[in-house]
Amino acid sequence: MMSLLRRGNKSAGIAAIVNLIISLIKGAAFMLTGNVAMFAETMHSLGDAANQLFVFVGSALSKKRPNDRYPNGFGRVVNLVLLFAVIIVGIMSYEAIKEGIHHILQPTESKGIWISISVLTAAVILEAFVMFKAMKEVIHETNAEAKGLSIIPKSFANLSKAKPATKLVFMEDLVATLGGVIAIIGILLSFYVGFHAAEGIASVIIGVMMFYVVGRVFLDNAKGVLGEADDELEAKIAAFIFTNEDIKDIKTLFAMKEGEDYHIEMKLEIDPSISVSRAINIKKSIEQHIQNMPGVTDVIIEFEEDDQIATWEKVNSTPIG
């Protein structure tokens, strides 16, 4: 079991530990100050910690080897775990919004401003550190090239191609960092301007941002559970296949994303005049090339005799290297 857990998403594991520590510190600060923006941030960090723990365990379990009962493996486990995890974030979001609205309607002056500001500033720095680690993970998973500060824009540009667990950690830490800044602004407005409802407004904004993460994660992982096809990968594979002159057409081609991995299936039409040994060599060559792609776990290829009817359009495709 421990060897399996070591294969869990590292960004999620680090984020879970950091957010648990942050949530405990924020919770203590809320008890001392009664600050509603601090309450929202406590709920946020606690939800993120629990969420990211589920993500870490789920990403590890998804790497379990197939067995007789589950011959297709456990790749989609991470999607199922993430769907469950968003429920936790949703509950925390609701609590943050509810408390924020209550404070807007009945604003009260909180105390211990510098305790709140100090805790939130430290939390923002830690969250930013974890987010930068997630950015580097995005760069690594998508095979992008970036160093130093160029990692920041590159990670945003390639986020959609990252693994589900890494995407979740990235979005949660982005919202957590922005939420900390918003909470600080709300507290400062309350203390220096006397606009006490600002803390409640900050709490509502933080809750709404959390709901945004819930929505994004739910939609992304619902697709993963159902087995979403990757159109871009299919086009690249098709372009490579057509570099072989003996392949006359592609009858079907599916690049299905199962959790963090890809399952590739295809039915190809070949020149009926080629020998069996030549067909076997072509199949092995295609399998080997695609198996070397990051994330691909298995490739299934079937051959049919060319029916002289074009099925696959050879457009907008770039061969894979």
Side-chain angles (χ1 to χ4, degrees):
M1 184 64 180
M2 289 303 297
S3 62
L4 196 62
L5 287 176
R6 289 194 191 98
R7 299 173 66 188
N9 186 278
K10 292 180 181 178
S11 295
I14 294 170
I17 295 170
V18 171
N19 276 302
L20 177 60
I21 296 170
I22 291 173
S23 67
L24 293 174
I25 296 171
K26 286 179 179 177
F30 167 69
M31 296 295 291
L32 291 171
T33 65
N35 189 293
V36 70
M38 183 63 74
F39 172 80
E41 278 297 292
T42 302
M43 292 294 99
H44 191 174
S45 295
L46 191 59
D48 285 354
N51 206 355
Q52 288 154 355
L53 177 62
F54 280 121
V55 171
F56 174 73
V57 174
S59 64
L61 292 176
S62 70
K63 293 177 175 62
K64 230 179 140 180
R65 291 183 179 276
N67 55 37
D68 293 337
R69 190 172 181 180
Y70 301 100
N72 292 327
F74 298 83
R76 297 185 190 183
V77 168
V78 68
N79 296 118
L80 290 170
V81 169
L82 288 171
L83 285 176
F84 178 74
V86 299
I87 297 173
I88 296 173
V89 181
I91 293 170
M92 300 298 180
S93 305
Y94 168 75
E95 290 297 328
I97 292 172
K98 185 180 77 172
E99 286 299 316
I101 292 173
H102 176 74
H103 191 80
I104 292 170
L105 296 175
Q106 298 179 5
T108 56
E109 183 178 359
S110 56
K111 54 187 178 180
I113 176 177
W114 296 115
I115 294 175
S116 298
I117 295 297
S118 299
V119 169
L120 287 171
T121 300
V124 167
I125 294 171
L126 285 172
E127 294 284 9
F129 167 75
V130 175
M131 186 173 71
F132 191 71
K133 294 283 286 183
M135 287 178 172
K136 291 171 75 174
E137 194 74 14
V138 170
I139 297 298
H140 172 71
E141 289 177 359
T142 58
N143 295 315
E145 293 185 4
K147 291 183 180 179
L149 293 178
S150 65
I151 290 173
I152 298 173
K154 279 276 189 179
S155 64
F156 277 97
N158 291 278
L159 182 61
S160 61
K161 301 175 186 177
K163 294 178 180 179
T166 304
K167 274 200 282 189
L168 175 63
V169 173
F170 182 99
M171 287 191 293
E172 285 189 337
D173 287 321
L174 175 62
V175 170
T177 304
L178 292 175
V181 174
I182 291 169
I184 291 172
I185 293 171
I187 293 169
L188 291 175
L189 286 173
S190 175
F191 183 77
Y192 286 108
V193 183
F195 182 39
H196 301 311
E199 293 178 11
I201 293 171
S203 181
V204 171
I205 293 172
I206 292 166
V208 170
M209 289 194 302
M210 291 166 70
F211 264 126
Y212 171 76
V213 172
V214 167
R216 280 289 304 273
V217 173
F218 177 82
L219 290 174
D220 285 350
N221 288 281
K223 294 175 184 176
V225 169
L226 294 172
E228 181 186 16
D230 190 317
D231 295 336
E232 184 180 347
L233 182 57
E234 287 175 1
K236 289 181 178 179
I237 292 173
F240 165 71
I241 289 171
F242 282 124
T243 59
N244 191 308
E245 294 180 356
D246 292 318
I247 306 294
K248 300 304 179 182
D249 196 10
I250 299 175
K251 197 71 172 283
T252 58
L253 170 59
F254 300 105
M256 305 297 292
K257 193 167 188 180
E258 298 183 345
E260 298 178 351
D261 302 317
Y262 287 97
H263 171 78
I264 314 297
E265 289 187 26
M266 65 188 75
K267 190 175 289 185
L268 310 178
E269 295 183 2
I270 61 172
D271 186 341
S273 64
I274 67 173
S275 65
V276 174
S277 61
R278 172 64 179 158
I280 292 172
N281 288 334
I282 292 172
K283 183 179 179 181
K284 286 181 178 179
S285 175
I286 294 173
E287 283 179 344
Q288 183 178 4
H289 201 100
I290 297 175
Q291 284 278 16
N292 288 333
M293 297 177 64
V296 174
T297 54
D298 61 323
V299 182
I300 298 175
I301 300 174
E302 293 181 27
F303 282 150
E304 283 188 358
E305 185 177 317
D306 182 21
D307 60 7
Q308 304 296 318
I309 301 172
T311 304
W312 192 274
E313 294 185 16
K314 307 176 187 179
V315 294
N316 299 325
S317 298
T318 302
I320 51 180

